[in-house]
Amino acid sequence: MTTNTTNHLETIDSTILTPLVQRALDAPSARVLAWEYQPIYAGMGTGTALYRVSGLASHQGETAPWSLILKVLGEDSNRADPAHPEWWRRETEAYRSGHLEVLPAGWSSPRCFGVVDYPGEGCWIWLEEVTDRMGGSWPLAHYGTVARHLGQFNGAYLEREPLPQWSWLSRNWLRQTVEQAAPALPLLRKHGDHPMVRRMLKQSGQEKLLGLWAEREFFFSLLAHLPQTLCHMDAFRRNLFTCENGDGSARMVAVDWSFTGPEAVGTEILYLTAGSLGFFEVEIEKAEELDEIVFEGYIEGLRDLGWCGDPRQVRLAYATASLRYALGTLGPILHVLIDEEFYPHTQQIVNCTIEELADCWGKIFQWFFTCLDEARSIARILS
């Protein structure tokens, strides 16, 4: 994958770039003068890589800078089935379909300038480079604003738009993601006494995870009986951008549409809180405050679109969706903690020691346990 990708990158020339740059600049007569590419993300073995390709172009006697994002998706035989929760082609098909260009409620994806297939290897997606106008870390209040936009997006498919049936959408994504944790359970039993695993989860925490696995069908049944809507399914801080329209108004842009599909209303914002906590965009000590701000903003967004349902149903889905992180991410987390070969790369990504990482993840797991306790309580009230 790496060698082939590098070879293809070296074949990039003005013939390939010119139509892409013309679309990016909305300048049909633009001519590419110079370009370079820089890696942004290597994918940690997932077969995905991101590059920023930038340069200069001439247009109507003037020189203009331009930039594009190139997303490289490696073909993966283990994720070749469209029913797989992480089907490697889903985002490619999403952009090719054109549906991401007409999302409701002011929500959008980056403009797609082209998709190129490399049979037997993968494909390239050429995208608009988007910049978050907030820059850096978001203040907590902005999470509420973003959650409101997410509520409007999800609410549109509850009140104004039919739930899409596009063939490339994920189905039962949360269930399938949790089910993939099956190999992690024996791993937890085997390495429960590893210093880093024990640092993250005491014996009681490990027993809770094993109990959640045994109880998972109960939680899946809760979600199945709640109102369903279209969800991005990975809408956390690093995938969301607050951008400006030409008239100065704000628009929300979401990247990475590789998981999108129908799920219960409310699951969307669990990823905003949990994902932002897990990637240290927000300190775990502010989890409760973040939780409150995000949930209130989301309900406002649903109301904006005319939804008049019971907020307890939304809260039930929100709290239940934490099962995705409590179990669905257990395997990768255990591998990171157990295999010391991961330590340098992981510490570089998260900018902290592996001990600090284990401590933080331990606190986040405790938050998940609290969420799932809340889900049980709400389910009893609504039953």
Side-chain angles (χ1 to χ4, degrees), residues 153-209:
F153 172 57
N154 291 166
Y157 294 100
L158 293 173
E159 297 297 327
R160 300 184 182 180
E161 303 281 343
L163 189 62
Q165 300 299 316
W166 307 322
S167 60
W168 46 266
L169 291 174
S170 64
R171 307 289 175 182
N172 298 312
W173 185 86
L174 193 146
R175 170 189 280 272
Q176 292 191 71
T177 301
V178 171
E179 292 289 356
Q180 286 183 328
L185 278 300
L187 194 66
L188 178 63
R189 295 186 183 97
K190 180 179 179 180
H191 296 281
D193 288 328
H194 185 285
M196 289 299 106
V197 176
R198 177 71 71 172
R199 185 171 185 134
M200 180 179 72
L201 286 171
K202 302 293 190 292
Q203 184 63 35
S204 60
Q206 295 181 29
E207 291 173 356
K208 284 184 179 180
L209 281 178

Short mmCIF file of all heavy atoms in Angstrom, two decimals, residues 153-209:
data_model
loop_
_atom_site.label_atom_id
_atom_site.label_comp_id
_atom_site.label_asym_id
_atom_site.label_seq_id
_atom_site.Cartn_x
_atom_site.Cartn_y
_atom_site.Cartn_z
N PHE A 153 -29.51 18.74 11.77
CA PHE A 153 -29.22 17.76 10.74
C PHE A 153 -30.01 16.48 10.98
O PHE A 153 -30.72 15.98 10.09
CB PHE A 153 -27.71 17.46 10.73
CG PHE A 153 -27.30 16.32 9.85
CD1 PHE A 153 -27.61 16.31 8.50
CD2 PHE A 153 -26.60 15.24 10.37
CE1 PHE A 153 -27.22 15.26 7.67
CE2 PHE A 153 -26.21 14.19 9.55
CZ PHE A 153 -26.52 14.20 8.21
N ASN A 154 -29.94 15.94 12.18
CA ASN A 154 -30.70 14.72 12.50
C ASN A 154 -32.20 14.98 12.47
O ASN A 154 -32.99 14.14 12.01
CB ASN A 154 -30.31 14.19 13.87
CG ASN A 154 -28.90 13.63 13.94
OD1 ASN A 154 -28.36 13.42 15.03
ND2 ASN A 154 -28.27 13.40 12.80
N GLY A 155 -32.61 16.15 12.95
CA GLY A 155 -34.03 16.48 12.98
C GLY A 155 -34.66 16.58 11.61
O GLY A 155 -35.85 16.31 11.45
N ALA A 156 -33.87 16.96 10.62
CA ALA A 156 -34.40 17.07 9.27
C ALA A 156 -34.95 15.73 8.78
O ALA A 156 -35.94 15.67 8.06
CB ALA A 156 -33.32 17.58 8.31
N TYR A 157 -34.31 14.62 9.18
CA TYR A 157 -34.74 13.30 8.75
C TYR A 157 -35.81 12.71 9.66
O TYR A 157 -36.31 11.61 9.41
CB TYR A 157 -33.53 12.37 8.65
CG TYR A 157 -32.57 12.79 7.58
CD1 TYR A 157 -31.41 13.49 7.90
CD2 TYR A 157 -32.82 12.54 6.24
CE1 TYR A 157 -30.52 13.90 6.92
CE2 TYR A 157 -31.94 12.94 5.25
CZ TYR A 157 -30.79 13.63 5.59
OH TYR A 157 -29.93 14.05 4.61
N LEU A 158 -36.16 13.44 10.71
CA LEU A 158 -37.30 13.05 11.54
C LEU A 158 -38.57 13.76 11.11
O LEU A 158 -39.66 13.22 11.23
CB LEU A 158 -37.01 13.38 13.01
CG LEU A 158 -35.91 12.58 13.71
CD1 LEU A 158 -35.66 13.15 15.09
CD2 LEU A 158 -36.26 11.12 13.80
N GLU A 159 -38.41 15.01 10.61
CA GLU A 159 -39.58 15.84 10.36
C GLU A 159 -39.79 16.26 8.91
O GLU A 159 -40.92 16.49 8.50
CB GLU A 159 -39.47 17.11 11.22
CG GLU A 159 -39.47 16.84 12.71
CD GLU A 159 -40.77 16.21 13.18
OE1 GLU A 159 -41.83 16.53 12.61
OE2 GLU A 159 -40.73 15.39 14.11
N ARG A 160 -38.72 16.38 8.14
CA ARG A 160 -38.87 16.98 6.81
C ARG A 160 -38.41 16.10 5.65
O ARG A 160 -38.89 16.26 4.53
CB ARG A 160 -38.09 18.31 6.76
CG ARG A 160 -38.57 19.32 7.79
CD ARG A 160 -37.85 20.64 7.64
NE ARG A 160 -38.29 21.60 8.66
CZ ARG A 160 -37.83 22.85 8.75
NH1 ARG A 160 -36.93 23.30 7.89
NH2 ARG A 160 -38.29 23.65 9.71
N GLU A 161 -37.47 15.23 5.90
CA GLU A 161 -36.91 14.41 4.83
C GLU A 161 -37.17 12.94 5.14
O GLU A 161 -37.13 12.52 6.30
CB GLU A 161 -35.38 14.63 4.74
CG GLU A 161 -34.96 16.06 4.52
CD GLU A 161 -35.11 16.51 3.09
OE1 GLU A 161 -35.22 15.63 2.22
OE2 GLU A 161 -35.12 17.73 2.84
N PRO A 162 -37.42 12.12 4.10
CA PRO A 162 -37.53 10.68 4.35
C PRO A 162 -36.17 10.12 4.74
O PRO A 162 -35.12 10.63 4.32
CB PRO A 162 -38.00 10.13 3.01
CG PRO A 162 -37.51 11.14 2.00
CD PRO A 162 -37.58 12.47 2.69
N LEU A 163 -36.17 9.09 5.56
CA LEU A 163 -34.91 8.47 5.95
C LEU A 163 -34.29 7.84 4.70
O LEU A 163 -34.90 6.99 4.06
CB LEU A 163 -35.16 7.40 7.02
CG LEU A 163 -33.92 6.81 7.68
CD1 LEU A 163 -33.12 7.88 8.41
CD2 LEU A 163 -34.32 5.70 8.65
N PRO A 164 -33.08 8.23 4.33
CA PRO A 164 -32.48 7.74 3.08
C PRO A 164 -32.29 6.22 3.08
O PRO A 164 -32.07 5.60 4.12
CB PRO A 164 -31.12 8.45 3.04
CG PRO A 164 -31.29 9.65 3.92
CD PRO A 164 -32.22 9.22 5.00
N GLN A 165 -32.35 5.66 1.90
CA GLN A 165 -32.14 4.22 1.71
C GLN A 165 -30.96 3.97 0.77
O GLN A 165 -30.90 2.94 0.12
CB GLN A 165 -33.42 3.58 1.15
CG GLN A 165 -34.63 3.74 2.03
CD GLN A 165 -34.46 3.08 3.38
OE1 GLN A 165 -33.97 1.96 3.48
NE2 GLN A 165 -34.87 3.77 4.45
N TRP A 166 -30.04 4.90 0.70
CA TRP A 166 -28.90 4.76 -0.21
C TRP A 166 -28.16 3.46 0.07
O TRP A 166 -27.92 3.09 1.22
CB TRP A 166 -27.97 5.97 -0.06
CG TRP A 166 -28.67 7.28 -0.20
CD1 TRP A 166 -29.68 7.58 -1.07
CD2 TRP A 166 -28.44 8.47 0.57
NE1 TRP A 166 -30.07 8.89 -0.90
CE2 TRP A 166 -29.33 9.47 0.10
CE3 TRP A 166 -27.56 8.80 1.60
CZ2 TRP A 166 -29.37 10.75 0.62
CZ3 TRP A 166 -27.59 10.09 2.13
CH2 TRP A 166 -28.49 11.05 1.64
N SER A 167 -27.75 2.80 -0.99
CA SER A 167 -27.16 1.47 -0.87
C SER A 167 -25.83 1.48 -0.11
O SER A 167 -25.43 0.47 0.48
CB SER A 167 -26.95 0.86 -2.26
OG SER A 167 -26.08 1.67 -3.03
N TRP A 168 -25.14 2.60 -0.12
CA TRP A 168 -23.82 2.63 0.49
C TRP A 168 -23.84 2.96 1.98
O TRP A 168 -22.80 2.96 2.64
CB TRP A 168 -22.93 3.66 -0.23
CG TRP A 168 -23.59 4.99 -0.50
CD1 TRP A 168 -24.24 5.35 -1.65
CD2 TRP A 168 -23.68 6.10 0.39
NE1 TRP A 168 -24.72 6.63 -1.54
CE2 TRP A 168 -24.40 7.12 -0.30
CE3 TRP A 168 -23.23 6.35 1.68
CZ2 TRP A 168 -24.67 8.36 0.28
CZ3 TRP A 168 -23.50 7.58 2.26
CH2 TRP A 168 -24.22 8.57 1.56
N LEU A 169 -25.01 3.25 2.54
CA LEU A 169 -25.09 3.57 3.96
C LEU A 169 -24.74 2.36 4.83
O LEU A 169 -24.96 1.21 4.45
CB LEU A 169 -26.50 4.02 4.32
CG LEU A 169 -26.96 5.37 3.76
CD1 LEU A 169 -28.43 5.59 4.09
CD2 LEU A 169 -26.12 6.51 4.33
N SER A 170 -24.19 2.63 6.00
CA SER A 170 -23.96 1.56 6.97
C SER A 170 -25.30 1.15 7.56
O SER A 170 -26.24 1.94 7.63
CB SER A 170 -23.02 2.03 8.08
OG SER A 170 -23.60 3.09 8.83
N ARG A 171 -25.39 -0.09 8.01
CA ARG A 171 -26.62 -0.61 8.62
C ARG A 171 -26.25 -1.27 9.95
O ARG A 171 -25.28 -2.03 10.01
CB ARG A 171 -27.30 -1.66 7.72
CG ARG A 171 -27.56 -1.18 6.30
CD ARG A 171 -28.68 -0.14 6.23
NE ARG A 171 -28.82 0.39 4.87
CZ ARG A 171 -29.68 1.33 4.53
NH1 ARG A 171 -30.50 1.84 5.44
NH2 ARG A 171 -29.75 1.77 3.28
N ASN A 172 -27.01 -0.96 10.98
CA ASN A 172 -26.72 -1.52 12.30
C ASN A 172 -25.27 -1.28 12.70
O ASN A 172 -24.60 -2.17 13.23
CB ASN A 172 -27.03 -3.02 12.33
CG ASN A 172 -28.49 -3.31 12.06
OD1 ASN A 172 -29.37 -2.70 12.67
ND2 ASN A 172 -28.75 -4.23 11.14
N TRP A 173 -24.80 -0.07 12.40
CA TRP A 173 -23.38 0.22 12.59
C TRP A 173 -22.95 0.06 14.04
O TRP A 173 -21.91 -0.55 14.32
CB TRP A 173 -23.08 1.65 12.10
CG TRP A 173 -21.62 1.97 12.14
CD1 TRP A 173 -20.69 1.72 11.17
CD2 TRP A 173 -20.90 2.60 13.21
NE1 TRP A 173 -19.45 2.15 11.57
CE2 TRP A 173 -19.55 2.70 12.82
CE3 TRP A 173 -21.28 3.09 14.45
CZ2 TRP A 173 -18.57 3.26 13.63
CZ3 TRP A 173 -20.30 3.66 15.27
CH2 TRP A 173 -18.97 3.74 14.86
N LEU A 174 -23.72 0.58 14.96
CA LEU A 174 -23.32 0.52 16.35
C LEU A 174 -23.27 -0.93 16.84
O LEU A 174 -22.32 -1.35 17.51
CB LEU A 174 -24.27 1.35 17.22
CG LEU A 174 -23.79 1.63 18.65
CD1 LEU A 174 -24.26 3.01 19.10
CD2 LEU A 174 -24.31 0.57 19.62
N ARG A 175 -24.29 -1.71 16.49
CA ARG A 175 -24.30 -3.12 16.88
C ARG A 175 -23.06 -3.84 16.33
O ARG A 175 -22.37 -4.56 17.06
CB ARG A 175 -25.56 -3.80 16.37
CG ARG A 175 -25.53 -5.32 16.52
CD ARG A 175 -26.70 -5.99 15.82
NE ARG A 175 -27.90 -5.91 16.61
CZ ARG A 175 -28.25 -6.82 17.52
NH1 ARG A 175 -27.45 -7.85 17.76
NH2 ARG A 175 -29.37 -6.70 18.20
N GLN A 176 -22.80 -3.66 15.05
CA GLN A 176 -21.68 -4.37 14.43
C GLN A 176 -20.34 -3.94 15.03
O GLN A 176 -19.44 -4.77 15.21
CB GLN A 176 -21.67 -4.13 12.93
CG GLN A 176 -22.84 -4.77 12.20
CD GLN A 176 -22.63 -4.74 10.70
OE1 GLN A 176 -21.78 -5.44 10.15
NE2 GLN A 176 -23.41 -3.90 10.03
N THR A 177 -20.22 -2.66 15.35
CA THR A 177 -18.98 -2.17 15.93
C THR A 177 -18.76 -2.77 17.32
O THR A 177 -17.64 -3.18 17.66
CB THR A 177 -19.01 -0.64 16.03
OG1 THR A 177 -19.19 -0.09 14.72
CG2 THR A 177 -17.71 -0.10 16.60
N VAL A 178 -19.82 -2.85 18.09
CA VAL A 178 -19.72 -3.47 19.41
C VAL A 178 -19.40 -4.95 19.29
O VAL A 178 -18.56 -5.49 20.02
CB VAL A 178 -21.01 -3.24 20.22
CG1 VAL A 178 -20.99 -4.07 21.50
CG2 VAL A 178 -21.18 -1.76 20.55
N GLU A 179 -20.05 -5.64 18.35
CA GLU A 179 -19.82 -7.07 18.18
C GLU A 179 -18.37 -7.37 17.81
O GLU A 179 -17.85 -8.45 18.12
CB GLU A 179 -20.76 -7.65 17.11
CG GLU A 179 -22.23 -7.65 17.48
CD GLU A 179 -22.57 -8.67 18.56
OE1 GLU A 179 -21.67 -9.43 18.96
OE2 GLU A 179 -23.74 -8.69 19.00
N GLN A 180 -17.70 -6.42 17.18
CA GLN A 180 -16.30 -6.63 16.82
C GLN A 180 -15.40 -6.69 18.05
O GLN A 180 -14.22 -7.02 17.94
CB GLN A 180 -15.83 -5.51 15.89
CG GLN A 180 -16.38 -5.63 14.47
CD GLN A 180 -15.83 -4.56 13.56
OE1 GLN A 180 -15.54 -3.43 13.95
NE2 GLN A 180 -15.66 -4.90 12.29
N ALA A 181 -15.96 -6.37 19.21
CA ALA A 181 -15.17 -6.43 20.44
C ALA A 181 -14.99 -7.86 20.94
O ALA A 181 -14.26 -8.07 21.93
CB ALA A 181 -15.85 -5.59 21.53
N ALA A 182 -15.62 -8.84 20.29
CA ALA A 182 -15.56 -10.22 20.79
C ALA A 182 -14.14 -10.69 21.09
O ALA A 182 -13.89 -11.25 22.17
CB ALA A 182 -16.25 -11.16 19.80
N PRO A 183 -13.15 -10.47 20.21
CA PRO A 183 -11.79 -10.94 20.52
C PRO A 183 -11.15 -10.19 21.68
O PRO A 183 -10.15 -10.66 22.24
CB PRO A 183 -11.02 -10.70 19.22
CG PRO A 183 -12.07 -10.58 18.16
CD PRO A 183 -13.24 -9.95 18.84
N ALA A 184 -11.69 -9.00 22.01
CA ALA A 184 -11.08 -8.20 23.07
C ALA A 184 -11.38 -8.75 24.45
O ALA A 184 -10.62 -8.51 25.39
CB ALA A 184 -11.56 -6.74 22.98
N LEU A 185 -12.47 -9.48 24.59
CA LEU A 185 -12.85 -9.99 25.90
C LEU A 185 -11.87 -11.02 26.44
O LEU A 185 -11.40 -10.92 27.58
CB LEU A 185 -14.28 -10.55 25.87
CG LEU A 185 -15.40 -9.52 26.02
CD1 LEU A 185 -15.29 -8.77 27.34
CD2 LEU A 185 -15.47 -8.53 24.87
N PRO A 186 -11.49 -12.05 25.65
CA PRO A 186 -10.45 -12.96 26.15
C PRO A 186 -9.11 -12.25 26.34
O PRO A 186 -8.33 -12.63 27.21
CB PRO A 186 -10.36 -14.04 25.07
CG PRO A 186 -11.06 -13.50 23.88
CD PRO A 186 -12.08 -12.53 24.38
N LEU A 187 -8.85 -11.23 25.52
CA LEU A 187 -7.62 -10.46 25.69
C LEU A 187 -7.62 -9.74 27.03
O LEU A 187 -6.60 -9.68 27.72
CB LEU A 187 -7.49 -9.46 24.54
CG LEU A 187 -6.13 -8.78 24.34
CD1 LEU A 187 -5.08 -9.81 23.94
CD2 LEU A 187 -6.24 -7.69 23.28
N LEU A 188 -8.78 -9.21 27.40
CA LEU A 188 -8.90 -8.55 28.70
C LEU A 188 -8.70 -9.55 29.84
O LEU A 188 -8.00 -9.25 30.82
CB LEU A 188 -10.27 -7.88 28.81
CG LEU A 188 -10.57 -7.18 30.14
CD1 LEU A 188 -9.61 -6.02 30.37
CD2 LEU A 188 -12.02 -6.69 30.16
N ARG A 189 -9.29 -10.73 29.70
CA ARG A 189 -9.13 -11.74 30.74
C ARG A 189 -7.67 -12.17 30.86
O ARG A 189 -7.15 -12.38 31.96
CB ARG A 189 -10.00 -12.96 30.42
CG ARG A 189 -11.51 -12.69 30.46
CD ARG A 189 -12.28 -13.98 30.28
NE ARG A 189 -13.73 -13.76 30.25
CZ ARG A 189 -14.44 -13.65 29.14
NH1 ARG A 189 -13.82 -13.74 27.95
NH2 ARG A 189 -15.74 -13.46 29.18
N LYS A 190 -7.00 -12.29 29.72
CA LYS A 190 -5.61 -12.76 29.72
C LYS A 190 -4.65 -11.72 30.27
O LYS A 190 -3.70 -12.06 30.99
CB LYS A 190 -5.20 -13.14 28.29
CG LYS A 190 -3.77 -13.63 28.17
CD LYS A 190 -3.45 -14.02 26.73
CE LYS A 190 -2.01 -14.50 26.60
NZ LYS A 190 -1.68 -14.88 25.19
N HIS A 191 -4.90 -10.44 29.94
CA HIS A 191 -3.95 -9.39 30.31
C HIS A 191 -4.50 -8.43 31.36
O HIS A 191 -4.01 -7.31 31.50
CB HIS A 191 -3.55 -8.60 29.06
CG HIS A 191 -2.81 -9.41 28.04
ND1 HIS A 191 -1.47 -9.72 28.15
CD2 HIS A 191 -3.26 -10.00 26.88
CE1 HIS A 191 -1.09 -10.45 27.10
NE2 HIS A 191 -2.16 -10.63 26.32
N GLY A 192 -5.51 -8.87 32.08
CA GLY A 192 -6.11 -8.00 33.09
C GLY A 192 -5.15 -7.53 34.16
O GLY A 192 -5.36 -6.48 34.77
N ASP A 193 -4.07 -8.29 34.38
CA ASP A 193 -3.09 -7.91 35.41
C ASP A 193 -1.90 -7.14 34.84
O ASP A 193 -0.97 -6.81 35.58
CB ASP A 193 -2.59 -9.16 36.14
CG ASP A 193 -3.65 -9.75 37.06
OD1 ASP A 193 -4.47 -8.96 37.59
OD2 ASP A 193 -3.67 -10.98 37.23
N HIS A 194 -1.93 -6.86 33.54
CA HIS A 194 -0.85 -6.04 32.95
C HIS A 194 -0.86 -4.68 33.64
O HIS A 194 -1.93 -4.09 33.87
CB HIS A 194 -1.08 -5.89 31.45
CG HIS A 194 0.02 -5.19 30.73
ND1 HIS A 194 0.23 -3.82 30.80
CD2 HIS A 194 1.01 -5.68 29.93
CE1 HIS A 194 1.27 -3.50 30.05
NE2 HIS A 194 1.76 -4.61 29.51
N PRO A 195 0.31 -4.14 33.98
CA PRO A 195 0.35 -2.88 34.74
C PRO A 195 -0.46 -1.74 34.12
O PRO A 195 -1.16 -1.02 34.83
CB PRO A 195 1.85 -2.54 34.78
CG PRO A 195 2.53 -3.86 34.65
CD PRO A 195 1.65 -4.69 33.77
N MET A 196 -0.39 -1.60 32.79
CA MET A 196 -1.10 -0.50 32.16
C MET A 196 -2.61 -0.78 32.08
O MET A 196 -3.42 0.14 32.22
CB MET A 196 -0.55 -0.24 30.75
CG MET A 196 0.84 0.37 30.73
SD MET A 196 0.90 2.00 31.53
CE MET A 196 1.74 1.58 33.05
N VAL A 197 -2.97 -2.04 31.88
CA VAL A 197 -4.39 -2.40 31.85
C VAL A 197 -4.99 -2.21 33.24
O VAL A 197 -6.07 -1.65 33.40
CB VAL A 197 -4.58 -3.85 31.36
CG1 VAL A 197 -6.06 -4.24 31.43
CG2 VAL A 197 -4.05 -4.00 29.94
N ARG A 198 -4.25 -2.69 34.25
CA ARG A 198 -4.73 -2.53 35.62
C ARG A 198 -4.78 -1.06 36.01
O ARG A 198 -5.67 -0.64 36.77
CB ARG A 198 -3.80 -3.30 36.57
CG ARG A 198 -4.12 -3.17 38.05
CD ARG A 198 -5.37 -3.92 38.39
NE ARG A 198 -5.18 -5.36 38.34
CZ ARG A 198 -6.07 -6.24 38.75
NH1 ARG A 198 -7.24 -5.82 39.22
NH2 ARG A 198 -5.85 -7.53 38.67
N ARG A 199 -3.87 -0.28 35.48
CA ARG A 199 -3.88 1.15 35.77
C ARG A 199 -5.14 1.80 35.20
O ARG A 199 -5.73 2.70 35.81
CB ARG A 199 -2.63 1.81 35.20
CG ARG A 199 -2.49 3.28 35.56
CD ARG A 199 -1.14 3.82 35.15
NE ARG A 199 -0.98 5.19 35.60
CZ ARG A 199 0.09 5.67 36.21
NH1 ARG A 199 1.13 4.86 36.47
NH2 ARG A 199 0.15 6.93 36.57
N MET A 200 -5.54 1.35 34.02
CA MET A 200 -6.74 1.90 33.39
C MET A 200 -8.01 1.38 34.06
O MET A 200 -8.94 2.15 34.33
CB MET A 200 -6.76 1.54 31.90
CG MET A 200 -7.97 2.09 31.16
SD MET A 200 -7.97 1.66 29.39
CE MET A 200 -8.35 -0.10 29.48
N LEU A 201 -8.07 0.09 34.31
CA LEU A 201 -9.28 -0.53 34.84
C LEU A 201 -8.94 -1.46 36.00
O LEU A 201 -8.25 -2.48 35.80
CB LEU A 201 -10.00 -1.33 33.76
CG LEU A 201 -10.75 -0.55 32.68
CD1 LEU A 201 -11.20 -1.50 31.59
CD2 LEU A 201 -11.94 0.18 33.28
N LYS A 202 -9.39 -1.11 37.18
CA LYS A 202 -9.26 -2.03 38.31
C LYS A 202 -10.12 -3.27 38.04
O LYS A 202 -10.87 -3.32 37.07
CB LYS A 202 -9.70 -1.34 39.59
CG LYS A 202 -8.93 -0.07 39.92
CD LYS A 202 -7.49 -0.40 40.25
CE LYS A 202 -6.75 0.83 40.83
NZ LYS A 202 -6.56 1.89 39.83
N GLN A 203 -10.03 -4.24 38.90
CA GLN A 203 -10.78 -5.47 38.72
C GLN A 203 -12.27 -5.23 38.57
O GLN A 203 -12.94 -5.83 37.74
CB GLN A 203 -10.52 -6.42 39.89
CG GLN A 203 -11.18 -7.79 39.75
CD GLN A 203 -10.64 -8.57 38.56
OE1 GLN A 203 -9.46 -8.47 38.24
NE2 GLN A 203 -11.50 -9.33 37.90
N SER A 204 -12.80 -4.30 39.37
CA SER A 204 -14.23 -4.01 39.30
C SER A 204 -14.62 -3.44 37.93
O SER A 204 -15.69 -3.77 37.40
CB SER A 204 -14.63 -3.03 40.40
OG SER A 204 -13.91 -1.80 40.27
N GLY A 205 -13.76 -2.61 37.35
CA GLY A 205 -14.03 -2.05 36.04
C GLY A 205 -13.98 -3.12 34.96
O GLY A 205 -14.80 -3.11 34.02
N GLN A 206 -13.05 -4.04 35.09
CA GLN A 206 -12.97 -5.13 34.12
C GLN A 206 -14.20 -6.01 34.21
O GLN A 206 -14.74 -6.46 33.18
CB GLN A 206 -11.70 -5.95 34.38
CG GLN A 206 -10.42 -5.16 34.15
CD GLN A 206 -9.17 -5.97 34.39
OE1 GLN A 206 -9.15 -7.19 34.23
NE2 GLN A 206 -8.09 -5.31 34.79
N GLU A 207 -14.68 -6.25 35.40
CA GLU A 207 -15.89 -7.06 35.57
C GLU A 207 -17.11 -6.34 34.97
O GLU A 207 -18.00 -6.99 34.40
CB GLU A 207 -16.11 -7.36 37.04
CG GLU A 207 -15.06 -8.32 37.61
CD GLU A 207 -15.17 -8.48 39.12
OE1 GLU A 207 -16.02 -7.78 39.73
OE2 GLU A 207 -14.42 -9.29 39.69
N LYS A 208 -17.14 -5.02 35.09
CA LYS A 208 -18.24 -4.27 34.50
C LYS A 208 -18.25 -4.42 32.97
O LYS A 208 -19.31 -4.56 32.36
CB LYS A 208 -18.15 -2.79 34.88
CG LYS A 208 -18.58 -2.49 36.30
CD LYS A 208 -18.54 -1.00 36.59
CE LYS A 208 -19.01 -0.70 38.01
NZ LYS A 208 -18.98 0.75 38.31
N LEU A 209 -17.08 -4.38 32.36
CA LEU A 209 -17.00 -4.54 30.91
C LEU A 209 -17.48 -5.92 30.49
O LEU A 209 -18.22 -6.06 29.51
CB LEU A 209 -15.56 -4.31 30.43
CG LEU A 209 -15.11 -2.86 30.29
CD1 LEU A 209 -13.66 -2.81 29.86
CD2 LEU A 209 -15.98 -2.11 29.30
#
